[in-house]
Every structure is written in structure tokens, then in C-alpha cells.
Amino acid sequence: MKYLYYPGCSCSGKTTGRAYAESLIAVFQALDVAYEELEDWNCCGATMYMSVDEQQAFAMSVRNLALAERQGGNGDSPPTLTTPCAACYAVLNKTQHYIDDYSQIGESIHSALAAASLSYTGRVQVRHPLDILVNDVGLEKIAGQVKRPLLGLRVACYYGCLLVRPYATFDDPYHPTTMDRLIRALGAEPVDWPLKTHCCGASLSGTIEEVGVRLSYILLSEARRRGANVVATACPFCQFNLECFQHQMIRDHGLAGEVPVGYFTQLAGIALGLPGRNLGLHRLTIPLPVSDKIGEQEEYATAQ
Amino acid sequence: MSSPPIERKVRYERDLDPHFAQEISAMPGGEQLAHCIQCGTCSATCPLSIYMDYTPRRIIAMTRAGLKDDVLRSLTIWLCASCYSCTVECPKNIKITDIMYALKRRAIEKNIYPKRFGIPVLSREFFRLVQRNGRSSEGRVIVRMALKTNPFQYMKKKALLGLKLMRQGRLSMKKESIKRKGELTTILRGVEQAALELDRARQSGRVEA
């Protein structure tokens, strides 16, 4: 089965989520997950678009779903669209609920699609790569391919808001555990912390900085307090907010020192023995506390 | 002799818009508005409520009461980061986040938000760029927002971060675009047309609001 890959605006080209896209693709290839990019995909109609026009935002989303149905509709199983961005993932899922639940939205969108010679019958499954790695590839297979177990690494798994809310499809909206299980399979130790799905402030870091950055500070200080030496994220915006404003958090809020923040796909890639360059490790401002050279893992573990 | 200007804080019946609650609950997602029991779970779970002028619970109460102007002028709707905790926690299944979206849209439509206020400006710039090209171009959206809000402050505070991100290959000013723009425009025009027709039907009383 081939997954249709929808990078979304933040994970395509020279963007905030570039390292996320790079590491995801490297991990997919290492684990033989077959994928192809959704052809001519457009913006999902995310938060800022929806704040101006809801109908158009849903229509934006549905065009992607219609394209997915056309491109991946030949097999027996339903076409599966996967996107690393938690916001795209939430919006695409939400759109499916809205066109099913509200006939007026469904009708107007279906007729607008028809005018552009497209159609959507609702067959597409939208799934997050975390779900695919853990539930399709499986933890056993992943653990079997680990070449450099992330020994000694204490990871705060940060799911962010939109991975499990408002329409949870593969985990619990209050207390998700999928990423924790993956991290354990990679040899690291997930720390228990209650802020897994607490908001990072999203675009507020760029508009009302003191408010946005403070939300991220709350997350990082709690991660530190719980003894985490790295935070794993699953959303380009969360990673950016948590990583790039740390000097403000140290200066204005008293964060007790830097905390490395990477994508769960980067940690998976390191454990699978992939070269750091392919995982975008060089794009991080605060380097991850794991060696990216094979063979140094034991030294690292004893040094801890 | 003129008396000193005093801002009236008390609201009378004549300040209310009796149709406001109906307007909001008529939109998809707003139907449960009347069921709010004012328990305050939304405000308790909202990570931003401490910064808001009115908590989400109060916004719901004010919307129901018809305090349209106060609701649309509040900072609350802009501070909502759309994390959906309120929606997931609400014991009466009210889609509070979606109601916040609806309120943001009303405020943007009516142009009532503080001039040069970053959040609605960012939304509008994002919207325009994506509507035209089908994709967002992060660098361009940020620059447009900076120019329309407070360019000097942004130059001073964010220029270094921008340069760092560019060096890391994480930021670009390149315009991103889809290939079949015409196809997207047709779809967007189609839904706009449908919305207009529904609006007209509602106003003429052919369809129940």
C-alpha cells in the first residue's frame, strides 16, 4: 500500500518544518514505507484562513481530499493521506466531519468541486505519520531496526493540541501515549509529564510575543523539572515556538537553561542509524544531545 | 461647561442585539450555544484565559445575551489560539473554538479590531496570499504582517531570528504557488456563490435561519 504524502506549507521547501519533512522521508525510506507526494496540493485552509472565511477554508481542504481520491483511488484499500503537520492533519480531519455533518456545507462544496471537474466521495483516510509508524509499521519492526539505541536520553513527548484534538483518530485526546511508546522502542526513556497536549501559543509568538512565548516557557520549564533532556515534537509550529524563543524565555521568564527540541522523526532517524544530514539535525539551533555518528552511542551512554 | 468624559460600563437593554445569539447559533458548529450551563470548564482549561479581557465562559454568556459590540471588540476572540481544549472538555458539547472562529470572522468582516493589531492583520494577509497562490509563503506572510503593523519593532526584535532561520535553510522569501490556480479559483468562487445564495434565501425568509 502506498501512502499519499501531503507536506503542507510549513513542511515544503525552505520553511520552519524543513527538518521535519527531511527526517520523516528518511525514516519512511529506512522502514520501507512506500509513499508519493500528493500532486499539486494546496494550503489546508488552516487557522488563519478559517478566521477569515470558513466555507473557503473547508473548500481548500476538500480540494486536497479530492486530489487524493483521484491519485490514490485505484487500490482495494481507501486512499490514505498522511501529513506531518499537526495543524493540516486536524483541519483535513475536521473538514471531513463538517462536510458529513452539515448538509449545507457539503452541498455547496460538492457543487463547487464539480464546477472545477473534481469530485469527492469521502473515501480518503487522513492519518498522521506517528499513527502510521506505530500502528502500521509496528514497534516491533522499528525496534528490530534500531542501530543506535537512544540510551540515557530522557524525552518529554510533546503532542501539541492538534494531533489529538478535536477529532482524535488514533489516540486519547487527554492522555496520548503513541509517541511515548515509539520513543521507548528507540531505546530512550519517555518522561511522565502532564503538559503533553497543552498549547504552545501557535502564532501568538509572532503577534503578542510575551503571551505566546510564555506558553512555550511553561512547557519547557515543566519538561526540565521532570528531568527531560530533550523535547520531542510532532508539529512544525510547536518545534519552532519551543526552540527559537529560548533566549527570551531565559531572559524574561527565568527558564533555567536551554532545552533541545527536535522532531520525533529526527529521534527515530538517529536511532535507525541514519546520517544526521538526512535528518536535518544541522538545522536545529540547539543541537540534540545524541551523537549523530554510529558507534559513539556507547560512549554517550557511559558519559551520562 | 462640559462634563468630564465618563465611559459608561453598565449595559442596558437598548445596547443588546437580540438577533446576535440566533445569528451565531445558526452557523454550523454554533447550534449548542443555548445549552451552555455556565460551568466555566472552558475558561478553566483555556491556557490563554488569564490574558483575556473576558473569559471564554463570559464570551459565551455575552454572545447569548446579545452584547454584540462588546463581544466583537474583545481581545478574547483574537487570543484564542484554536487549541480546542475547551471544545473537548465542554460537558455540553459546545464547539467553543468554532464559535470563536465565527466571532473572529464577524469582527474581520465589520473591520472592528484595533488598527495595526497583529493577529487579525496576520490572518488577512495569510488569507490573501493563499487565496491568490493556493499556498502560503511563510517569509512573505511575515513581512506583510510586519509592514502593516509595526515594521520598526519587527526589524528590531525579529530581524536576527529571521537571519538565523535563513542561514539554517528554514526561511525563504520565495513565492510558493500551486500549478492549477484556475481550478482552485473556480472552487473558491463556487462556495462563495453558494454562501451568497443561502444568505439571500435566508433574508427573503425562504429558508429558516
Side-chain angles (χ1 to χ4, degrees), chain B residues 26-79:
Chain B
M27 348 143 338
E31 54 285 287
Q32 299 293 322
L33 183 70
H35 296 212
C36 175
I37 52 170
Q38 288 288 297
C39 65
T41 306
C42 48
S43 307
T45 189
C46 176
L48 288 145
S49 60
I50 57 163
Y51 306 101
M52 291 171 171
D53 40 4
Y54 305 107
T55 59
R57 178 190 65 82
R58 290 183 73 185
I59 287 289
I60 297 289
M62 288 161 73
T63 303
R64 277 204 321 200
L67 287 163
K68 184 176 182 174
D69 213 47
D70 297 81
V71 168
L72 295 186
R73 281 176 201 285
S74 76
L75 278 181
T76 301
I77 57 177
W78 303 114
L79 281 167

Side-chain angles (χ1 to χ4, degrees), chain A residues 85-104:
Chain A
C85 173
C88 296
Y89 170 74
V91 172
L92 289 165
N93 267 319
K94 178 178 165 178
T95 301
Q96 291 195 318
H97 280 269
Y98 267 73
I99 50 175
D100 283 349
D101 296 350
Y102 299 101
S103 58
Q104 60 182 80

Side-chain angles (χ1 to χ4, degrees), chain A residues 222-235:
Chain A
E222 183 63 19
R224 279 190 70 95
R225 212 170 67 81
R226 302 244 167 188
N229 45 21
V230 60
V231 175
T233 58
C235 166

